[in-house]
Amino acid sequence: MSDSSSQRMMIGDFLLRRLEEAGIRHLFGVPGDYNLELLQQLDDAGRLKWVGSCSELNASYAADGYARLNGMAALAVTNAVGAMSAINGIAGAYAEHVPVILIAGSIPLRSIERGLGMHHTTGDGTWDRFLGAFAQVTAAQARLTPSNAVTEIDRLILTAWREKLPVYMELPSDIAYLDAEVPADPLILAEPPSDPERVQSCAAAIAGRLSDAKAPAILVDQDVDRYGAAADVMELAGKMQMPVAVTGPAKAVIDETFPQYAGVYNGKGSPPQTREAIEDSDCLLSIGYRPIDGTSGDFTASLPANTIRARGHSVDIGDYNYQAVTLKEVLRGVIDAAPQVTNRPARPGAATAPAPRADGSAKLTQAAYWETLQGYLRPGDVLLTDNGTSYAIFGFRLPPKCTVVASIIWGSIGYSVGALLGTLTAAPDRRHLLFIGDGSFQETAQELSTMLRNDCKPVIFLINNGGYTIERGYVGKNAHYNDVATWAYAELPKVFRPDTTARSFVVKTVGDLQNALSAPNDQLIFVESIMDPHDAPAAIIHSSNNGAELDYGPRGPQHRENIQLQPRAAADQPAGARA
Ligand SMILES: Cc1ncc(C[n+]2csc(CCOP(=O)(O)OP(=O)(O)O)c2C)c(N)n1
Ligand SMILES: [Mg+2]
């Protein structure tokens, strides 16, 4: 029976239509016999653009990067072999609160009903292992059937969007071409409305506490970005003239040129004025804060007793817990109820160290590298980084409208190369800069070929220091296990696309680096910088040294003579960088 509000459509077409209605314009992934029928539907309908990757792991990272800029992403993989390759990236999206829809083209329902053993299974007549695996790292999972597909597709997409978490969808290969009766209306991405009384009392309580305080402040974590609330936070901070600090995962969520911006808070790893603004506040509004070693200065963070804890869908104020409230509605209510403050004395801004004058012919050091790259940044840049000494980008003073994409909580090396494909696809008109080490790059390097194939034009800054320098600060300062093979990195664009017009540079001095930076951004630029394996920003090596204590305890190997890279006393620190 069809009425005016429904229509007949094939299940695969309906899925693609819903993805498009959710704002997704590209589908990442790798084909396989269990998803080719969906890819053919995509091709026939011309709804989404297919972005094929070299591996499902890279596709999962690409989807994560895309979702961070676009709000949501999807990837399609094949049963089990594809899905289990992607699970690292999906778990990362879960940890980092990124809404990604994983569509696993799965064995036909016919094979399950008849007990037929199929390839890409464990061959033992079990069907639910992968649903079970993904139940651990997604907010919702479903195996679509002709009878549940229409409701399950909407439930999964809406759950991903509302919770800002990944979801897992099995599309059995024999149902994509079956007709279903589907809603004619488009999918509306909307939060369930707050309970009006709860949101009003909650906003009044927050506004009251903040206006009674002498030194109110705000601490922003990455959910402020995920829930699209950065502009509201800045409006509130501006109205009440109170400082706003961010955690590392929220770097650049608050414009760093905003007058109330107070820096990156990380416990004792923070600049002094940032730490003071947060820890000496007599009423802190903390939004989404999730302390881990890397965001709490190795557990030295200490938030004031009077801390209001707001999250995407709930708020804690003293003894009260507010449910049925959404972050944006709460912030809107606080902005309306808060008094306009005009006379709060400004806090001193972060001191900016004068840039050292670099000798152009001297061998390139990490200190000179980061100082020189600081000058390369432009408003609106998208900066990506991986684990390693490239964490130094957290010490950059960013121009307006920049975005930082990193994975501090999950921290899977190689993430940033796949994520770069995703950010380039989501925002092709912005300039994208990747800062990465050789060890991280070797994990996912082949995705560079997809960027070249798709005519993307990022700038890739790769540090070639022969291995895992950040790990040498834990243990194994000179150990072979911290070495990687020597690659001719700058030649890879040519290998991956023989007719490439990419500009490649091998940099050994500051002069070489400056020359590379003067290249126009009309092509992909690959800058391989050769640096000493024992050269690293002091703050990053400190962090590794602390990490070794936390990881191995007092009986660990890190106490042996000369087994751990330690910071040189020299002033080779980037501004405030912290791993
Ligand atoms: C998937 C995964 N494997 C291993 C690690 C452990 N790990 C963290 S950083 C790192 C080394 C990074 O080396 P590189 O990218 O060369 O950076 P560098 O410190 O040398 O600049 C390793 C192996 C990880 N985080 N993720
Ligand atoms: Mg390295």
Side-chain angles (χ1 to χ4, degrees), residues 61 88 366 386-390 410-413 436-441 443 463 465 467-471:
Y61 292 154
N88 179 352
Q366 288 256 352
D386 223 295
N387 286 27
T389 59
S390 294
W410 188 246
S412 182
I413 59 170
I436 188 167
D438 45 6
S440 300
F441 186 73
E443 292 254 2
I463 296 176
N465 55 12
Y468 306 132
T469 292
I470 195 169
E471 305 288 55

Side-chain angles (χ1 to χ4, degrees), residues 201-388:
S201 328
C202 178
I206 297 174
R209 286 197 180 214
L210 290 175
S211 46
D212 288 347
K214 286 199 172 55
I218 306 181
L219 177 61
V220 160
D221 209 336
Q222 58 188 356
D223 277 1
V224 169
D225 167 65
R226 305 301 188 260
Y227 284 97
D232 305 292
V233 169
M234 288 193 281
E235 189 179 343
L236 176 60
K239 189 170 184 193
M240 294 197 67
Q241 295 193 346
M242 54 181 167
V244 190
V246 299
T247 62
K251 171 100 177 152
V253 170
I254 300 300
D255 202 311
E256 296 194 356
T257 58
F258 176 60
Q260 269 73 35
Y261 176 67
V264 178
Y265 178 69
N266 183 23
K268 74 170 166 42
S270 324
Q273 66 280 5
T274 307
R275 196 171 186 194
E276 192 186 304
I278 295 303
E279 296 185 1
D280 295 351
S281 165
D282 56 348
C283 182
L284 179 70
L285 173 57
S286 123
I287 311 179
Y289 182 45
R290 290 191 293 155
I292 60 157
D293 48 2
T295 60
S296 68
D298 292 330
F299 311 111
T300 58
S302 155
L303 303 193
N306 186 10
T307 293
I308 298 164
R309 291 170 199 275
R311 294 169 287 266
H313 299 125
S314 65
V315 179
D316 273 309
I317 310 175
D319 289 339
Y320 292 94
N321 173 260
Y322 293 84
Q323 294 290 336
V325 295
T326 59
L327 181 60
K328 272 179 81 77
E329 278 185 275
V330 168
L331 287 171
R332 211 50 266 158
V334 180
I335 293 164
D336 292 344
Q340 174 80 56
V341 175
T342 51
N343 56 357
R344 202 181 315 273
R347 289 171 169 271
T352 311
R357 192 146 310 152
D359 168 5
S361 61
K363 195 166 158 261
L364 186 64
T365 62
Q366 288 256 352
Y369 184 68
W370 296 112
E371 210 43 70
T372 308
L373 290 180
Q374 168 73 61
Y376 187 64
L377 306 179
R378 282 203 314 236
D381 282 347
V382 179
L383 293 82
L384 297 98
T385 191
D386 223 295
N387 286 27

Side-chain angles (χ1 to χ4, degrees), residues 466-534:
Y468 306 132
T469 292
I470 195 169
E471 305 288 55
R472 300 183 197 277
Y474 281 73
V475 77
K477 177 179 173 184
N478 295 307
H480 66 92
Y481 55 72
N482 278 330
D483 299 339
V484 299
T486 307
W487 290 10
Y489 297 95
E491 291 178 27
L492 286 175
K494 184 94 188 128
V495 172
F496 286 141
R497 182 164 176 174
D499 67 342
T500 189
T501 48
R503 303 174 197 279
S504 278
F505 300 87
V506 178
V507 164
K508 294 182 176 156
T509 65
V510 173
D512 293 344
L513 182 58
Q514 281 161 341
N515 175 48
L517 298 186
S518 65
N521 288 116
D522 57 350
Q523 304 294 337
L524 185 145
I525 299 176
F526 197 103
V527 185
E528 172 189 353
S529 296
I530 316 279
M531 281 190 262
D532 188 300
H534 288 167

Side-chain angles (χ1 to χ4, degrees), residues 145 191 397 552 579:
T145 66
E191 298 265 24
R397 300 172 300 280
Y552 315 131

